[in-house]
Amino acid sequence: GLGDVYKRQAEKSISAVEEKLRQEFDGFEVRRAYTSRMVIAALKKRGEQIDTVEEALEKLADQGYTHVYIQPTHIINGFEYNKITAAAEKYKDKFTVLETSTPLLDSDEDIGKVCDLFENELGSENAVAVMGHGTEHSANAIYTRFAEKCKEKGYKNIFAATVEGTLTLGDIIPQIKAAGFKKVIITPFLLVAGDHANNDIAGADEDSWKTMFEAADFTVDCQIAGLGEIADIQALYIAHTQAAIDALNA
């Protein structure tokens, strides 16, 4: 079920980011909290208790911590990220310092680095279709900006679309066709490549990306790994945490 798949993939991706944070910020306690109540509920069924952001902050305050830095592992500044800033706002009086850092794609420079990463990891000879989760939040525009930034950098083979946002696979298939590619590599723009990635990308259903690309006469290769497993992505999160710490010590 969701809990099992999520647990396995989360261990690979989220734990990898956490481990890197522990290494880089020696002497800091690193704790995990989730914003998704659905995931928390699924894990609870398996006997695993994960705190919400509020619960985690409550515990830290009770245990006497004074300086807390929250590093979201979200990709964009959307609804789930807003939940973190709202929780932090509620608890700011309980700490000397309570600072929320930024998600993965915070600046145009961040977007450029991630464009480089997809190009370096997956090469330039085939089309690369990057699948974002997508959102109704205005932050969905970041996926469009990512696609534009790839073009600006001369990466003509990278295309991005979302499952739940306004930029859909139907929008990019004609662009990939027009660019003359025959083979497409599909990869997730997700920290954790769980159920969502596997079903939406490589599932047997007629609306999976693999099925839709094959129906449009492409040869398809699915490369499913969560971004959290990639060292360059971990490094971006580390840089964001460092920036939040530095901003207060400036």
Side-chain angles (χ1 to χ4, degrees):
L2 171 68
D4 293 324
V5 175
Y6 192 86
K7 176 91 170 73
R8 274 200 310 277
Q9 298 301 334
E11 279 321 306
K12 281 179 19 196
S13 292
I14 296 176
S15 297
V17 174
E18 282 177 344
E19 203 39 57
K20 200 75 186 141
L21 286 165
R22 281 194 187 93
Q23 287 165 16
E24 295 290 328
F25 302 103
D26 193 24
F28 278 71
E29 169 81 14
V30 177
R31 306 250 179 121
R32 184 185 299 190
Y34 285 163
T35 50
S36 167
R37 291 191 177 275
M38 194 173 83
V39 171
I40 291 172
L43 290 173
K44 199 169 186 176
K45 276 196 185 131
R46 300 181 69 253
E48 187 172 355
Q49 182 68 45
I50 299 275
D51 289 338
T52 62
V53 179
E54 283 95 338
E55 287 164 349
L57 291 172
E58 191 74 55
K59 284 180 185 172
L60 289 167
D62 289 347
Q63 289 161 6
Y65 286 89
T66 55
H67 291 61
V68 177
Y69 298 92
I70 303 174
Q71 178 55 61
T73 51
H74 297 121
I75 306 287
I76 61 172
N77 181 351
F79 292 119
E80 296 298 315
Y81 179 75
N82 294 162
K83 284 185 192 173
I84 294 179
T85 50
E89 190 57 36
K90 266 199 270 185
Y91 282 87
K92 70 174 193 298
D93 298 340
K94 299 212 173 200
F95 302 96
T96 311
V97 166
L98 177 58
E99 194 66 22
T100 304
S101 180
T102 48
L104 185 71
L105 301 182
D106 182 51
S107 65
D108 223 47
E109 189 188 349
D110 293 336
I111 292 172
K113 285 180 181 167
V114 178
C115 292
D116 294 345
L117 180 122
F118 279 111
E119 186 73 0
N120 296 340
E121 294 264 323
L122 298 168
S124 57
E125 58 278 15
N126 301 306
V128 173
V130 182
M131 186 192 86
H133 183 283
T135 173
E136 290 171 8
H137 192 286
S138 59
N140 200 76
I142 289 174
Y143 295 110
T144 307
R145 178 66 197 128
F146 166 79
E148 283 169 2
K149 188 82 176 168
C150 286
K151 300 283 178 284
E152 283 169 21
K153 282 177 157 275
Y155 307 150
K156 297 183 172 68
N157 65 315
I158 302 181
F159 302 84
T162 61
V163 181
E164 294 182 13
T166 44
L167 180 69
T168 67
L169 185 59
D171 297 324
I172 66 166
I173 285 180
Q175 295 172 20
I176 298 174
K177 268 251 152 42
F181 291 102
K182 300 282 183 279
K183 180 177 175 181
V184 64
I185 298 169
I186 315 174
T187 196
F189 209 144
L190 301 164
L191 186 84
V192 176
D195 216 25
H196 219 338
N198 284 291
N199 292 338
D200 293 339
I201 289 179
D205 298 350
E206 58 193 35
D207 61 349
S208 85
W209 279 31
K210 181 174 188 282
T211 310
M212 286 161 77
F213 271 117
E214 285 174 347
D217 292 329
F218 287 97
T219 305
V220 178
D221 176 14
C222 301
Q223 298 275 349
I224 301 179
L227 292 178
E229 298 171 52
I230 300 168
D232 287 357
I233 296 287
Q234 295 162 15
L236 259 181
Y237 282 122
I238 298 294
H240 289 187
T241 309
Q242 190 64 58
I245 294 170
D246 292 347
L248 287 169
N249 298 331

